Amino acid sequence: MEITLRQAQLFLALVRTGKVQTVAKEFFLTQSAVSTAIKRFEESIGAPLFDRAHKKITTNSNGKVLSEELAPLVAQFQNVTSMFRKDCISGSMVIGASQTLADYLLPQVLYGFQVRHSGTQLSILSGNSNEVVHAVEHGDVSVGFIEGEVPSRIVESSLIGTEELVIVTSDRAFAGAQSYTIDELLEYRWILREKGSGTRDALLYQLREKGQLLNVFMELDHIESIKHVLKNPGTLSCLSEHSIVQEMARGLLYPVQVKGYSFTRNLYKVIHPRQKPTLLMDAVFEDIVDALHTVTKSFSDKDSRNFESLS
């Protein structure tokens, strides 16, 4: 049985982390897919590589020897591949992205990419999640990145990460006074994105029946418009972590803690089944995922400090 590069990468990741769940998140796979790949890898090697006693996974002597020999080989292969890809990346591409990603994450990522790869030209077609999926279905963009679940049976989707959605207010005293139940917040003036927005859909889905009782006072198509209206007293909104970094840092918006809720949503890459991946597409995708993870970790650290400063 042949050994694949992905199996070797998963094996080394499991040696490093000791947790199937962590490896699954790192490679955007299910835990069962990771476990199956590791099992087939061990079958190909012809020896067990891990001890699985007491529901813990630890590397046995076979695994330790193999990982020490295999790690530099995999690293060398990846370096050579990266060098080849860097030299061969060129061309133009239109990327579809829902508004939060298009406004707050992708521009700097794509700018940096074009600086490093002078032979490329990248552009963004933005819209809400439904509009981006529609653009992918009709070939208007090569690939799309959306927030929330994929409303299509035509496109293929892959999970690229998750992000926090934050209930925010401009009233520091209100945000810092207490943690609220959702019932205590329903009658405030909620300023939400338009229907079809991934942010709005994720909020209402997680509120379940409470979402039908939400006082949706105003619907706006643009996040900046929502942030402007939030200057009015008695207003609340639910916004992506990526869209409020500057306002949180400057003390213009504050997180409102809601008892029993932690609002999150999935982020997906969507592509038409007939669209073949290119070196350019894969390289851009890697940069976007790296930036997404960096920004999310940075926000989590700042968010913790914001809650602490309000208390």
Side-chain angles (χ1 to χ4, degrees), residues 128-191:
N128 62 38
S129 295
N130 286 341
E131 292 167 341
V132 172
V133 169
H134 184 269
V136 173
E137 289 176 342
H138 290 79
D140 298 327
V141 297
S142 300
V143 63
F145 296 94
I146 68 169
E147 306 129 0
E149 301 310 306
V150 182
S152 173
R153 295 182 179 180
I154 297 176
V155 303
E156 295 177 348
S157 64
S158 56
L159 179 67
I160 64 171
T162 59
E163 69 168 348
E164 296 290 330
L165 297 177
V166 187
I167 307 300
V168 289
T169 176
S170 62
D171 188 337
R172 176 187 173 93
F174 177 80
Q178 64 181 74
S179 295
Y180 298 90
T181 66
I182 192 61
D183 290 324
E184 293 174 309
L185 302 177
L186 292 175
E187 293 303 316
Y188 281 81
R189 292 174 181 152
W190 286 80
I191 316 300

Side-chain angles (χ1 to χ4, degrees), residues 141-249:
V141 297
S142 300
V143 63
F145 296 94
I146 68 169
E147 306 129 0
E149 301 310 306
V150 182
S152 173
R153 295 182 179 180
I154 297 176
V155 303
E156 295 177 348
S157 64
S158 56
L159 179 67
I160 64 171
T162 59
E163 69 168 348
E164 296 290 330
L165 297 177
V166 187
I167 307 300
V168 289
T169 176
S170 62
D171 188 337
R172 176 187 173 93
F174 177 80
Q178 64 181 74
S179 295
Y180 298 90
T181 66
I182 192 61
D183 290 324
E184 293 174 309
L185 302 177
L186 292 175
E187 293 303 316
Y188 281 81
R189 292 174 181 152
W190 286 80
I191 316 300
L192 297 184
R193 288 280 308 280
E194 79 285 1
K195 294 179 181 178
S197 158
T199 305
R200 178 191 179 119
D201 290 346
L203 171 67
L204 296 181
Y205 175 79
Q206 291 175 69
L207 286 178
R208 305 291 182 179
E209 67 276 2
K210 297 292 185 182
Q212 300 177 18
L213 304 176
L214 204 65
N215 176 26
V216 181
F217 186 77
M218 183 177 287
E219 298 176 350
L220 296 171
D221 290 352
H222 298 287
I223 297 170
E224 291 301 317
S225 300
I226 292 176
K227 290 190 284 189
H228 184 75
V229 173
L230 283 174
K231 296 176 183 177
N232 293 286
T235 56
L236 295 173
S237 189
C238 178
L239 296 173
S240 158
E241 59 185 2
H242 298 111
S243 69
I244 57 174
V245 172
Q246 295 299 322
E247 287 78 11
M248 296 268 283

Side-chain angles (χ1 to χ4, degrees), residues 269-289:
K269 178 182 76 170
V270 291
I271 190 171
H272 197 281
R274 290 195 296 269
Q275 173 68 57
K276 300 301 181 183
T278 64
L279 287 176
L280 174 60
M281 189 183 298
D282 289 344
V284 171
F285 173 62
E286 287 181 8
D287 275 22
I288 291 173
V289 171

Side-chain angles (χ1 to χ4, degrees), residues 284-301:
V284 171
F285 173 62
E286 287 181 8
D287 275 22
I288 291 173
V289 171
D290 287 345
L292 178 65
H293 291 172
T294 299
V295 172
T296 300
K297 183 180 186 302
S298 174
F299 180 86
S300 298
D301 295 340

